[in-house]
Amino acid sequence: MKLELKNLTKKYGNFTALDNMTITFEPGIYGILGANGAGKSTMMNLLTDNIDRTKGEILFDDTDILKLGKDFRKALGYMPQQQGFYEHMTAQTFLYYMAELKAIPKKQAKSEIEKLLAVTNLSEVRHKKLGGFSGGMKQRALLCQALLGDPKVVILDEPTAGLDPKERIRIRNFISSMSRGKIILLATHIVSDIESISDQIMMMKKGKLIGIGTPNELVESVADKVKELPCAPEDLEKIQAQYKVGNVFQRRGETWVRVIGEDLPAEGQYVKDHLSLEDVYLYYLGE
């Protein structure tokens, strides 16, 4: 099973939202990193055929998804970033409704809905109306509907937005556990979610794919790009103007800063043993 994007482009007038994206996805979890406007949501909307492409191809097992039509939609699960609900429905009614739209047999739907409500911690509120749900609860309901029908391609746009840390870990672990044999595309601003479960991480900037690799490969690529140095509080603004600054922290009563880039200050020490994907993000994608 594979999903291929070939020279995929989306333009709005003179603005290019996605620029000749070419990549092949095979089973596994692909984290997508990029600032707002990087083209992440545009790519996902093209994959779900919510918007028309300007040019290029999207192939699922060598056939264009537009030609596959409903056969591709059966293989697809999508959790959008924006929360659109029938707010008068209860969570359980909403999921049964979505299962019917996906033509999932009732017996199968019942079993799947029970499991999904349990793993997303919604079982006890299944009979409450979605209009009364918190933002985090709505996120979990959206994730449930995306996973109905055991889709082979799962597209998750900010799946843990609005969740507290305990819920985020629970959902993150569930996504990881059900990933076998699926292609999962996961876009989020929460770098730790991507770092902990992704097999590959894509980096997007201004509509382009600027790099892809495993978390370890990407972290190793910035091994000589990160330093920590002491900084007097009155000099902090100057340092922030000159360098990409990660963390500002206290060490033995002194203020220290973590700086990332090619041209680093002579003082300080290179970071070797606790590099992270946040350093990767700042180096490649930070302005």
Side-chain angles (χ1 to χ4, degrees):
M1 181 176 65
K2 62 181 178 179
L3 180 65
E4 297 176 272
L5 280 57
K6 293 185 175 182
N7 301 313
L8 189 61
T9 299
K10 177 62 180 177
K11 293 186 176 183
Y12 296 96
N14 293 325
F15 174 70
T16 302
L18 198 68
D19 192 358
N20 285 297
M21 176 73 71
T22 297
I23 188 171
T24 298
F25 300 108
E26 295 181 338
I29 299 177
Y30 294 82
I32 307 171
L33 277 181
N36 289 333
K40 305 186 301 297
S41 292
T42 298
M43 182 181 72
M44 291 182 167
N45 278 312
L46 288 167
L47 284 167
T48 54
D49 196 28
N50 283 326
I51 57 176
D52 295 329
R53 64 189 83 158
T54 301
K55 70 170 186 176
E57 297 177 285
I58 304 172
L59 307 177
F60 184 57
D61 286 342
D62 300 318
T63 303
D64 197 292
I65 64 169
L66 297 181
K67 185 175 180 179
L68 287 170
K70 66 179 182 180
D71 289 332
F72 178 69
R73 288 192 290 275
K74 284 182 179 179
L76 179 68
Y78 176 47
M79 176 184 174
Q81 183 177 356
Q82 300 297 324
Q83 298 176 350
F85 283 105
Y86 299 98
E87 298 208 339
H88 65 283
M89 287 186 177
T90 66
Q92 180 169 283
T93 302
F94 170 67
L95 292 177
Y96 273 105
Y97 174 67
M98 294 303 295
E100 190 165 345
L101 289 180
K102 293 183 178 187
I104 300 171
K106 287 185 178 181
K107 186 175 180 180
Q108 178 186 340
K110 184 177 187 301
S111 173
E112 289 188 10
I113 288 169
E114 289 297 321
K115 177 183 176 181
L116 290 168
L117 286 171
V119 80
T120 56
N121 204 24
L122 290 176
S123 293
E124 293 185 4
V125 294
R126 66 172 66 204
H127 299 303
K128 292 189 176 181
K129 290 185 178 180
L130 294 167
F133 274 23
S134 68
M137 292 164 70
K138 288 179 178 179
Q139 287 297 105
R140 285 179 272 156
L142 278 176
L143 179 59
C144 286
Q145 65 79 30
L147 298 177
L148 285 170
D150 192 27
K152 298 301 181 185
V153 178
V154 181
I155 298 175
L156 306 174
D157 198 353
E158 301 287 351
T160 58
L163 302 184
D164 66 34
K166 185 177 180 180
E167 288 177 320
R168 272 193 13 242
I169 292 170
R170 182 186 181 98
I171 295 301
R172 193 169 69 197
N173 290 343
F174 175 64
I175 292 169
S176 180
S177 71
M178 61 88 178
S179 64
R180 186 176 180 85
K182 299 181 187 295
I183 296 170
I184 298 179
L185 307 186
L186 168 62
T188 179
H189 287 92
I190 304 170
V191 174
S192 60
D193 284 351
I194 283 183
E195 189 168 27
S196 60
I197 66 171
S198 296
D199 299 301
Q200 296 277 322
I201 295 173
M202 302 168 53
M203 295 184 295
M204 295 179 64
K205 189 171 186 176
K206 297 180 179 178
K208 290 181 176 290
L209 177 66
I210 65 168
I212 185 169
T214 67
N216 283 341
E217 288 170 345
L218 294 179
V219 167
E220 287 174 3
S221 75
V222 299
D224 58 347
K225 315 294 185 187
V226 185
K227 266 189 169 184
E228 292 178 347
L229 61 147
C231 173
E234 60 269 21
D235 293 333
L236 182 57
E237 188 174 338
K238 180 181 177 182
I239 291 288
Q240 289 174 321
Q242 190 172 356
Y243 302 103
K244 293 178 183 178
V245 174
N247 296 327
V248 179
F249 58 96
Q250 297 295 311
R251 178 181 290 169
R252 296 185 293 274
E254 288 185 305
T255 300
W256 283 63
V257 295
R258 188 180 183 105
V259 294
I260 297 100
E262 292 284 346
D263 185 18
L264 296 175
E267 64 269 26
Q269 57 198 33
Y270 283 100
V271 177
K272 296 295 183 183
D273 58 353
H274 55 286
L275 292 165
S276 72
L277 205 59
E278 289 185 358
D279 299 315
V280 172
Y281 185 96
L282 281 172
Y283 179 73
Y284 289 104
L285 303 173
E287 296 300 331

